[in-house]
Amino acid sequence: MTTIAFLGAGMMGSAMIRNYLKAGHQVRVYNRTLDKARPLTEFGATLADTPAQAAAGADLIVSSLTNDVASRACWTGPQGVLSATLKPGAYAVEASTVSIDWVRDLAAQASAKGLRFLDCPVAGRPDAAEAAKLKIFAGGAAEDVDALRPVFMAIGTEVQHLGPVGSGITFKLIYNVMGAVQVAATAEGMAACEAAGIDLRVAAHCFSTGNTNSGHVIRHSRYMAENRHEDPVQFSGNMRIKDVAYGVELIEACGEQSRLGRATIEVFAQMDAHGMGDMNDSELIDTLRLIAGRPIPPKT
Ligand SMILES: NC(=O)c1ccc[n+]([C@@H]2O[C@H](COP(=O)([O-])OP(=O)(O)OC[C@H]3O[C@@H](n4cnc5c(N)ncnc54)[C@H](OP(=O)(O)O)[C@@H]3O)[C@@H](O)[C@H]2O)c1
């Protein structure tokens, strides 16, 4: 059993916390909005008022937070993890999708405090997190990844070691740019089919069974064809923009181009411009309908 401090009881965090508890670990939870974390006490979690309180003496500190701003506040803010009395040699794991620059900065600050730092972003939506079917992309020392592998298997099915610190988030950002391009292409393809008079259920079937298919195409073309989007929202248009912006920055810093990444940000920015940025990424098709002057069908 490991004492885990977990920062961020959002959709992904809450599911991971429940699975760590089910596996027999002790979990101390910090969430900015304390009330949202309260239901986790029914599963055995204890709540902390500050990230520092959660982290003090823990064996492993994990965060699953929106972006760089949230991660910085929880790790290095005034009552952040790094201000706590920490267990020497404890593991510090950033599981959020954040920027490479922030991960490098945090890794240096955490190591200076005697923590063993790993970047371990996850792939899989909240339903996969709930089912303990996440993929973990780990960056860090091989012995640290091996030491945590059994703990991570409580939340996922695969732990892939991508290389030293920073490699997990590097891969995850490239992976997410590719994924976001596919979601944007699905919305444009489905909208074009509709404009051309093609039945969207037939189109979704053909996209999902032909060489165009991928997990994103299969899931999102079905939502678009059925006008049945996820409720509550699982991944918004604005979260896509956040991920792809971090990804494009990283890819271009490597000396490569990301023209599709840049175009994808523009496509999703149209959702935000029409007040739809916090809706599901699959609802991009409705923004495209609005722009083209076609009616948005009622949700089913
Ligand atoms: N949803 C997905 O499909 C998915 C899949 C893979 C990876 N991810 C990544 O996982 C991370 C969490 O995503 P999620 O879907 O769980 O999001 P979420 O449900 O919106 O949760 C976000 C969490 O971040 C906290 N937070 C936001 N701003 C903060 C700030 N300034 N200071 C402190 N805490 C702050 C929120 O606290 P409050 O409750 O107080 O707002 C909440 O705990 C993100 O990096 C995301 O990109 C998501």
Side-chain angles (χ1 to χ4, degrees):
M1 188 190 64
T2 305
T3 302
I4 301 174
F6 203 104
L7 319 173
M11 281 183 295
M12 297 296 286
S14 295
M16 289 191 252
I17 291 163
R18 281 191 288 274
N19 284 325
Y20 280 132
L21 289 164
K22 268 189 219 158
H25 302 297
Q26 275 189 352
V27 188
R28 294 204 292 255
V29 179
Y30 166 77
N31 197 55
R32 178 182 60 175
T33 314
L34 192 64
D35 277 348
K36 285 198 209 164
R38 228 173 272 289
L40 292 165
T41 58
E42 286 169 31
F43 297 84
T46 54
L47 302 186
D49 290 326
T50 65
Q53 194 186 66
D59 303 307
L60 165 63
I61 306 150
V62 186
S63 60
S64 176
L65 298 155
T66 308
N67 53 19
D68 286 10
V69 172
S71 176
R72 200 174 281 117
C74 289
W75 287 91
T76 60
Q79 294 179 305
V81 171
L82 299 190
S83 69
T85 305
L86 298 164
K87 185 170 174 176
Y91 294 95
V93 171
E94 178 48 282
S96 323
T97 307
V98 287
S99 73
I100 181 68
D101 287 351
W102 168 239
V103 164
R104 289 193 179 124
D105 183 355
L106 176 58
Q109 295 194 51
S111 302
K113 292 276 180 182
L115 297 174
R116 292 180 230 242
F117 182 86
L118 299 94
D119 47 302
C120 296
V122 297
R125 290 166 79 101
D127 52 357
E130 204 62 61
K133 288 189 174 161
L134 294 172
K135 288 183 200 299
I136 293 114
F137 301 141
E143 65 267 26
D144 294 342
V145 176
D146 286 343
L148 289 182
R149 203 177 285 276
V151 180
F152 288 153
M153 291 312 283
I155 60 160
T157 51
E158 268 184 58
V159 180
Q160 293 295 342
H161 184 204
L162 277 305
V165 166
S167 308
I169 194 65
T170 295
F171 180 73
K172 166 72 175 168
L173 291 175
I174 296 168
Y175 176 98
N176 274 16
V177 171
M178 279 182 63
V181 167
Q182 291 174 24
V183 174
T186 307
E188 288 193 348
M190 291 291 281
C193 285
E194 185 175 82
I198 293 167
D199 184 313
L200 289 193
R201 286 176 191 257
V202 178
H205 169 79
C206 294
F207 285 140
S208 301
T209 52
N211 286 340
T212 41
N213 78 5
S214 74
H216 284 303
V217 171
I218 294 168
R219 180 193 280 255
H220 284 74
S221 66
R222 194 182 73 237
Y223 291 151
M224 291 171 194
E226 296 175 0
N227 300 311
R228 186 178 55 78
H229 303 279
E230 287 170 303
D231 184 20
V233 172
Q234 304 286 289
F235 203 78
S236 68
N238 283 341
M239 288 290 267
R240 285 274 169 222
I241 294 174
K242 181 260 307 186
D243 280 6
V244 182
Y246 289 152
V248 168
E249 193 178 59
L250 169 114
I251 291 166
E252 293 181 348
C254 294
E256 289 297 322
Q257 61 173 251
S258 186
R259 292 185 190 208
L260 290 174
R262 286 191 171 275
T264 299
I265 293 173
E266 275 180 37
V267 172
F268 280 108
Q270 297 176 104
M271 284 186 83
D272 203 33
H274 287 81
M276 299 166 87
D278 290 327
M279 293 165 72
N280 283 294
D281 54 358
S282 56
E283 293 177 75
L284 172 58
I285 190 169
D286 289 342
T287 306
L288 299 181
R289 284 172 171 138
L290 208 62
I291 292 167
R294 287 198 309 283
I296 297 176
K299 305 255 185 304
T300 58

